[in-house]
Amino acid sequence: MSGERRPLADRPLTEPHPSRLSPEHPDRARILAAHDAALAAGEAGYLDPESGLFVLSAGFLARRGTCCGRGCRHCPYVDDPQSG
């Protein structure tokens, strides 16, 4: 999928696909709060509250304009578990 231009998935940028962040994930609320803060501030991403790793925001990924195919948590292009 690298570099492939596709339309954004039909869901808000605030809502990751369940295949990327399960609704049952124990830190889901903290992850989404950190992601929402990054989106609101127009930042490229946030520090994951569990791992401390930098995670790209859906806004940044959407502005990039293409799916890299690396399985990003907040990929705004994935619309089914097999894509993105």
Side-chain angles (χ1 to χ4, degrees), residues 18-43:
S19 70
R20 303 295 171 90
L21 182 63
S22 168
E24 291 82 33
H25 190 288
D27 279 333
R28 182 180 172 86
R30 289 181 5 161
I31 290 168
L32 291 181
H35 180 253
D36 290 350
L39 280 177
E43 296 174 352

Side-chain angles (χ1 to χ4, degrees), residues 1-6 20 61 64-72 75-78 83-84:
M1 302 279 170
S2 183
E4 179 182 333
R5 290 208 175 266
R6 305 194 303 210
R20 303 295 171 90
L61 296 168
R64 187 169 60 190
T66 60
C67 175
C68 66
R70 293 187 179 135
C72 300
C75 181
Y77 303 98
V78 65
S83 68

